[in-house]
Amino acid sequence: VILFYKTSKPYKLYTFYRSSTAWRARIALNLKRIRPEYVFVHLFKGDQKSSKYSSINPNQGVPTLELPNGDALIESMAII
């Protein structure tokens, strides 16, 4: 079980505006009143294949929720 907690370090949600899975994650976080810092990953330009993003999410997909402790949830259902 992952507990969401308030912290000075923000959650980061790596997202893309046309991704339905990222859309679901944004809605779920909003319902939980979690306001993440948004990092936009442009899938059509191939941003998800960069070495920096691949180190965060080896699956190279969106959404990815980076927790304040540095861990990352890389599946929308895990975020929801």
Side-chain angles (χ1 to χ4, degrees):
V1 174
I2 299 209
L3 300 175
F4 292 96
Y5 53 92
K6 294 186 179 194
T7 177
S8 60
K9 187 176 176 186
Y11 292 88
K12 286 185 184 178
L13 181 66
Y14 295 83
T15 185
F16 182 61
Y17 74 101
R18 293 195 51 193
S19 167
S20 61
T21 55
W23 180 73
R24 273 195 306 244
R26 288 192 304 269
I27 289 174
L29 292 174
N30 189 38
L31 290 172
K32 294 176 184 181
R33 294 191 168 106
I34 297 171
R35 304 289 184 253
E37 174 185 318
Y38 291 104
V39 180
F40 296 97
V41 180
H42 200 293
L43 299 180
F44 297 146
K45 291 182 180 177
D47 291 351
Q48 75 276 19
K49 296 179 182 177
S50 72
S51 59
K52 181 181 176 186
Y53 187 69
S54 293
S55 68
I56 298 167
N57 183 345
N59 291 346
Q60 299 177 342
V62 292
T64 299
L65 181 65
E66 188 175 342
L67 304 176
N69 66 2
D71 292 338
L73 301 175
I74 62 172
E75 295 289 335
S76 63
M77 292 306 290
I79 296 168
I80 291 171

